[in-house]
Structure formats: C-alpha cells, structure tokens
Amino acid sequence: MLSIRVDGNDVFAVYNATKEARRRAVAENQPFLIEAMTYRCVPDNQKQTVLLDLNNKFLSRRNPRKSFV
C-alpha cells in the first residue's frame, strides 16, 4: 500500500498530501494512506502541568495557529 507521512498541524501540507494521494489512488487504482502527525495543543486535563509545559515548549517553537495566518 502506498503511504505518505505529513505534518498534521500544517494545513497546506495536509492539503497537498491529500491532493497527491487522491491523484495517485485514482491513477494507480490502489489505496493510499496518509499519516498526519499532529500535536495536541490543549491537554485533556488542565491540571496536567507536565503536558502544559510540553505544550508551551512546542508552541514557542512552532504555533500551528500562527503558521496558518
């Protein structure tokens, strides 16, 4: 099975991967797997300080909300 891994927080990367996957799936008549690697920006439980620290480190390096604007 054909597959591709893409940054799931990058809306343009996901769009382009989906477009290419559809083109190849139709052309080759085979399934195509898209693995979107994402990072959850808001933890399930606000009291999880470890996750909040990791979240702040991630957002300081790359904020998906700002990269879209």
Side-chain angles (χ1 to χ4, degrees), residues 16-66:
N16 289 330
T18 305
K19 189 175 176 181
E20 178 64 14
R22 183 192 181 284
R23 185 193 67 76
R24 290 184 66 182
V26 169
E28 299 172 22
N29 197 25
Q30 290 188 8
F32 199 103
L33 174 70
I34 301 172
E35 183 179 8
M37 306 298 289
T38 63
Y39 184 85
R40 188 179 182 120
C41 293
V42 180
D44 289 334
N45 184 347
Q46 292 296 333
K47 294 180 182 179
Q48 296 174 336
T49 57
V50 172
L51 288 178
L52 288 173
D53 289 340
L54 288 173
N55 185 44
N56 290 336
K57 287 179 185 177
F58 172 80
L59 291 177
S60 68
R61 288 193 323 266
R62 177 157 185 227
N63 188 338
R65 288 174 243 159
K66 288 182 181 177

